């Protein structure tokens, strides 16, 4: 390896756009690009497949007591503040299936297109409080980003993208993934939101 080249770092991440810890985990992972040629295998993992596709439902309908939700919300907001992120979309949860399919299809348009959409899918839901299950919202993002206008129809109409989500779900079961985000730098999982220091330590161990 030439002196100016960064070491290649491959990471697999199980993630969903509904999860604020996934958003913060991605932002922290991105900080490793300063030292590594980072290649991420994004495993789109649907965590609330039974959620309605309309306006969603409040977190207290998903098994959280009001007290539990307030404590979790405090943890989320503290972590977001640490990363300089303002979250404003945590009043309800929705269905992410169409967003995940759209992200899968966007991978084929290249890294720049994928990551532009990836960021906006997180922001639209978690920061702006808009409904990720709403097709008009998702089509609007494609237009906003200047992506192929045929992308949504391919994502939602071609069976191969549904199969990719099923493959990820099967892999998650086989690996015992029980939290998101889950990061794999090698065969050892890091479950949940990690500090930048933990991510850097895992990176160093993975490229030794």
């Amino acid at each position: 390896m030439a002196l100016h080249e960064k070491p290649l770092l491959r990471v697999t991440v199980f993630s969903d756009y509904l999860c604020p810890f996934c958003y913060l985990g991605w932002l922290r992972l991105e900080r490793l690009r300063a030292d590594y040629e980072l290649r991420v295998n994004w495993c789109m993992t649907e965590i609330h497949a039974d959620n309605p596709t309309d306006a969603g439902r409040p977190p207290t309908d998903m098994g959280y007591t009001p007290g539990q939700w307030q404590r979790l919300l405090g943890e989320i907001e503290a972590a977001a503040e640490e990363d300089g992120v303002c979250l404003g979309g945590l009043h309800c949860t929705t269905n992410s299936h169409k967003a995940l399919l759209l992200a899968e299809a966007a991978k084929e348009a290249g890294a720049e297109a994928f990551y532009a959409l990836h960021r906006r899918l997180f922001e639209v839901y978690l920061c702006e409080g808009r409904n990720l299950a709403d097709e008009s919202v998702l089509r609007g993002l494609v237009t906003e980003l200047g992506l192929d206008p045929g992308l949504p129809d391919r994502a939602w109409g071609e069976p191969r993208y549904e199969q990719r989500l099923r493959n990820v779900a099967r892999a998650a079961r086989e690996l015992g993934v029980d939290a998101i985000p889950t990061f794999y730098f090698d065969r050892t999982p890091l479950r949940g939101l990690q500090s930048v220091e933990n991510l850097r330590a895992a990176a160093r161990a993975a490229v030794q």
Side-chain angles (χ1 to χ4, degrees), residues 91-140:
H91 57 281
C92 73
T93 187
T94 186
N95 186 293
S96 62
H97 191 76
K98 287 185 180 296
L100 297 177
L101 290 172
L102 193 62
E104 282 293 342
K107 290 177 181 179
E108 297 174 352
E112 183 177 353
F114 168 75
Y115 276 107
L117 181 65
H118 186 66
R119 176 180 291 277
R120 288 298 288 138
L121 288 171
F122 276 128
E123 291 174 344
V124 158
Y125 176 65
L126 294 168
C127 302
E128 300 169 18
R130 297 160 68 192
N131 185 6
L132 274 189
D134 187 333
E135 287 190 10
S136 66
V137 170
L138 298 175
R139 290 183 186 276

Side-chain angles (χ1 to χ4, degrees), residues 75-98:
E75 294 175 10
I76 294 169
E77 290 176 343
E81 183 177 357
E82 181 181 336
D83 292 324
V85 174
C86 180
L87 300 179
L90 302 179
H91 57 281
C92 73
T93 187
T94 186
N95 186 293
S96 62
H97 191 76
K98 287 185 180 296

Side-chain angles (χ1 to χ4, degrees), residues 1 29 31 61 76 117 119 125 136 143 154 169 199:
M1 181 172 62
L29 183 64
R31 292 169 66 177
D61 285 356
I76 294 169
L117 181 65
R119 176 180 291 277
Y125 176 65
S136 66
T143 300
R154 287 200 303 277
L199 295 174

Side-chain angles (χ1 to χ4, degrees), residues 3-115:
L3 291 178
H4 66 280
E5 291 181 350
K6 298 176 184 178
L8 177 63
L9 177 63
R10 297 187 184 275
V11 186
T12 292
V13 186
F14 289 83
S15 177
D16 190 352
Y17 294 110
L18 299 183
C19 172
F21 293 123
C22 292
Y23 179 36
L24 300 176
W26 168 57
L27 294 177
R28 294 178 182 186
L29 183 64
E30 281 293 300
R31 292 169 66 177
L32 273 60
R33 289 192 188 276
D35 301 307
Y36 298 96
E37 183 66 31
L38 183 62
R39 306 285 178 82
V40 185
N41 173 27
W42 287 102
C43 292
M44 304 306 178
T45 309
E46 190 174 4
I47 56 174
H48 294 306
D50 57 339
N51 273 0
T53 58
D54 51 18
R57 55 178 173 163
T60 50
D61 285 356
M62 301 174 61
Y64 294 105
T65 67
Q68 288 172 331
W69 176 244
Q70 286 305 313
R71 285 192 294 274
L72 180 58
L73 192 59
E75 294 175 10
I76 294 169
E77 290 176 343
E81 183 177 357
E82 181 181 336
D83 292 324
V85 174
C86 180
L87 300 179
L90 302 179
H91 57 281
C92 73
T93 187
T94 186
N95 186 293
S96 62
H97 191 76
K98 287 185 180 296
L100 297 177
L101 290 172
L102 193 62
E104 282 293 342
K107 290 177 181 179
E108 297 174 352
E112 183 177 353
F114 168 75
Y115 276 107

